[in-house]
Amino acid sequence: MAKLAPYRAKRDFTKTSEPKGKASRRTGAAFVVQKHDASRLHYDFRLELGGVLKSWAVAKGPSLVKGEKRLAVHVEDHPVEYGDFEGAIPEGQYGGGTVLLWDQGTWEPEGDAEEAYAKGRLTFRLNGEKLHGSWHLVRMGKRPRERQESWLLIKAEDEFARGEDEPDILQEAPLSVKTGRSIEEISGKPKSPSKAKATRKTASKAKPKAAERSSPARKAKDDHRVEVAGISLSHPDRVLWEEQGLTKQQLAEFYVDIAEWLLPHLVERPLTLIRCPSGAQKKCFVQRHSWAGMSDAVHRAMVPDDGGEQEILLVRDIQGVVALVQSGVLEMHVWGATLDDLEKPDRLIFDLDPGEGVDWPLVIEGARAVRERLKGVGLDSFVKTTGGKGLHVVAPLTPRAPWKDALAFTREMAEAMAADEPDRYTTTSVKSEREGRIFIDYLRNNREASAVAPYSTRSRPGAPIATPVAWEELSPKLKPNGFTVQNLRKRLASLKRDPWADMRAVEQTLPERRRTRRASKG
């Protein structure tokens, strides 16, 4: 709370809609730039660090010109929730004026961020909607009577830097990344027609040709945004898989097209996400909790966790999935339980991950071997490709047994397979011990463990899809990463029956004898 005391002391939250917020215990990596038309127009540059948004007021805004120094005055820490704020602060209140969410994304520090911040020299990369590449924030020596620290925001030399004679990013892209509005539209004080026309003209200079060819069924925005399933996508022509030329808009439309196949395996399940804001070939990172600027279509909930609480993310409809695409999510992984009962899994997962030198037919044999062992204890199972090299064997459950029993059961089965055929299977994840063998990963049967959702893309070359298949489809001709964004719709259209159609109708529980035997040992 102490970190945000100055922020709260300056504001009357009965009069301003700014979030009161609280310091977050999670480790996040959001960055935000807000255009702030207060007593003077400036840009607020914010980096998530230590549970808050470290904030600087940059009078002239960020510059893409390499080496150009922009004065950045260090101001009070803001809550992480402030990163999604856009609107009008009432006159007479601190910072009274209009706030536009100009850019948002993630940042990656070079070295230890806390240590670099304390020393007054931060070097980092930005992965935003507008700002990219390497930057420096350097603290200047404090001058007499100076109440706030002065820093310099400097664009480093890289492929994203511009020359002095190139367009100014502030003029080139003036509109909100959240709503596509101008600051005048947000304030409710429209500018004169001549000025509005000039702003529109400037904002459209860099419009990609592909955006002009977008589907007429999609609503185009002035800053090159389009709407898919009611969700506004910025930079719809950003390429996510370079070899295929697959764009953000195409991925969003793909998910809309397969929604009836995807959503039954996704909704109401806690998510672990892989975000790649600049595409599959660039930096990706894991996201389990909310971030600054996250869409309201992505839901958050607080659930019990070791005597306390933790935040989880989930989606309830296709709008939530498209909102994830907008935030650069290329993989959606789900827990083996739903929000209705997070303490009892409704499916078991055996992940067969082949080591070096293991041919695909042997992976198929391994999956069938798991299926037969499950049949031996009365459990039906289903199979899916992972979009990688392996297979997942999934046994649905009526959620009655706790996680510890699910883990004990799957561990016993995996260890039995490894003991019976040690040259073929292993339960160790150590790569040096997996060569020539299949790693049977049973650890996905833990409360917070996750597995890639059926019909999710993977952030791998080729834009592969984790795809449910029928047991009889498994053959050497079926490639483990052969289903992709380009060909999956054709596959689904040709299917006479969903390979996992019977999963919801299956009523089976973890064998009681296994749980009883395990309990007697404890």
Side-chain angles (χ1 to χ4, degrees), residues 25 269 297:
R25 290 182 294 177
R269 291 183 183 274

Side-chain angles (χ1 to χ4, degrees), residues 348-350 405-415 440 442-443 445 510:
L348 303 175
I349 294 181
F350 294 85
D405 293 342
L407 181 63
F409 174 82
T410 53
R411 180 175 65 240
E412 287 177 11
M413 181 170 290
E415 290 176 345
I440 306 176
Y442 60 84
L443 293 174
N445 301 288
L510 206 61

Side-chain angles (χ1 to χ4, degrees), residues 249-471:
Q249 181 178 346
Q250 289 171 334
L251 177 60
E253 292 175 340
F254 165 77
Y255 279 138
V256 171
D257 287 347
I258 68 162
E260 64 180 302
W261 299 82
L262 169 71
L263 292 178
H265 307 289
L266 194 67
V267 297
E268 296 296 324
R269 291 183 183 274
L271 296 169
T272 296
L273 308 168
I274 306 297
R275 293 179 65 191
C276 310
S278 298
Q281 284 74 30
K282 303 295 173 59
K283 178 74 173 179
C284 299
F285 56 93
V286 177
Q287 185 96 40
R288 294 186 178 90
H289 307 293
S290 59
W291 58 90
M294 188 180 80
S295 169
D296 290 340
V298 182
H299 299 273
R300 58 191 97 186
M302 300 303 295
V303 299
D305 178 47
D306 288 336
E309 285 188 320
Q310 71 159 319
E311 182 190 60
I312 61 167
L313 301 178
L314 57 152
V315 295
R316 296 194 167 109
D317 47 38
I318 196 60
Q319 285 75 23
V321 176
V322 175
L324 293 179
V325 173
Q326 161 61 15
S327 292
V329 171
L330 298 194
E331 296 190 19
M332 299 174 288
H333 296 242
V334 292
W335 286 21
T338 66
L339 196 60
D340 288 339
D341 192 347
L342 292 180
E343 305 310 318
K344 298 184 181 69
D346 67 349
R347 58 186 57 183
L348 303 175
I349 294 181
F350 294 85
D351 179 4
L352 281 74
D353 187 3
E356 291 296 325
V358 177
D359 293 332
W360 172 237
L362 294 178
V363 183
I364 294 175
E365 288 181 21
R368 288 176 175 154
V370 172
R371 182 193 190 195
E372 291 306 310
R373 286 183 182 253
L374 289 169
K375 274 187 180 179
V377 294
L379 295 178
D380 289 334
S381 60
F382 299 78
V383 65
K384 76 170 188 278
T385 65
T386 64
K389 299 184 296 180
L391 290 168
H392 284 176
V393 178
V394 181
L397 294 176
T398 301
R400 293 179 185 170
W403 282 105
K404 63 181 180 64
D405 293 342
L407 181 63
F409 174 82
T410 53
R411 180 175 65 240
E412 287 177 11
M413 181 170 290
E415 290 176 345
M417 289 182 66
D420 291 346
E421 297 184 83
D423 293 336
R424 179 171 286 197
Y425 306 115
T426 180
T427 57
T428 179
S429 61
V430 179
K431 284 194 175 183
S432 61
E433 297 184 28
R434 289 165 53 186
E435 187 172 352
R437 295 189 288 180
I438 296 172
F439 169 45
I440 306 176
D441 185 359
Y442 60 84
L443 293 174
R444 296 187 182 276
N445 301 288
N446 268 312
R447 181 177 182 270
E448 296 182 24
S450 60
V452 64
Y455 302 109
S456 167
T457 56
R458 305 302 302 271
S459 55
R460 303 181 181 190
I465 305 289
T467 307
V469 296
W471 281 107

Side-chain angles (χ1 to χ4, degrees), residues 65-81:
V65 177
K66 60 184 179 183
E68 183 168 333
K69 299 178 176 67
R70 291 287 168 92
L71 179 65
V73 177
H74 205 335
V75 297
E76 75 275 10
D77 294 341
H78 283 51
V80 173
E81 296 93 327

